[in-house]
Amino acid sequence: MNSNCSVLVAYSSSSTLKLSLSYNLLLSCIALPLFLWASIKLWTGVYTKGFHRNFRMIIQMHLFGLMLHCIGRIVLHTLDLINYIFLQPCDMIPNIYR
């Protein structure tokens, strides 16, 4: 067993890591529809019609960035959990996005 394999065995058997990834995945899955709803309400809502168009565009860009961030987290954390739960630790390829 080489040093990379022993490190990956420690990572894949860590319940704290799996719990942390699951928690982040859950929060990202909850946040994505909320950001989408806020984006729709920003342009169609009665209370936001008083905002200047440029201000709404700035808020929209922030919401778009948050949605993009959540999509990335959902994909990466799902792949990590699948790797840690179903693959053999020595067969895992280190993720280049880490």
Side-chain angles (χ1 to χ4, degrees):
M1 183 182 288
N2 60 16
S3 63
N4 284 341
C5 187
S6 62
V7 169
L8 290 173
V9 167
Y11 282 162
S12 66
S13 62
S14 171
S15 60
T16 307
L17 177 64
K18 291 177 190 173
L19 185 64
S20 174
L21 287 173
S22 301
Y23 180 71
N24 281 313
L25 181 62
L26 176 69
L27 288 180
S28 293
C29 288
I30 291 171
L32 187 61
L34 288 176
F35 292 144
L36 186 63
W37 174 81
S39 178
I40 292 169
K41 284 296 183 180
L42 180 66
W43 295 101
T44 62
V46 175
Y47 299 110
T48 58
K49 291 295 182 191
F51 293 149
H52 192 271
R53 183 179 42 140
N54 291 346
F55 180 71
R56 286 189 285 175
M57 289 175 72
I58 291 170
I59 298 299
Q60 181 62 55
M61 291 308 295
H62 282 86
L63 286 171
F64 178 73
L66 288 169
M67 285 188 279
L68 193 62
H69 180 75
C70 283
I71 290 169
R73 276 186 177 251
I74 289 170
V75 169
L76 287 176
H77 290 333
T78 301
L79 291 175
D80 285 343
L81 281 172
I82 289 170
N83 286 340
Y84 291 148
I85 293 171
F86 295 114
L87 291 181
Q88 295 296 324
C90 294
D91 295 337
M92 283 190 273
I93 299 172
N95 195 341
I96 62 171
Y97 296 109
R98 297 285 173 243

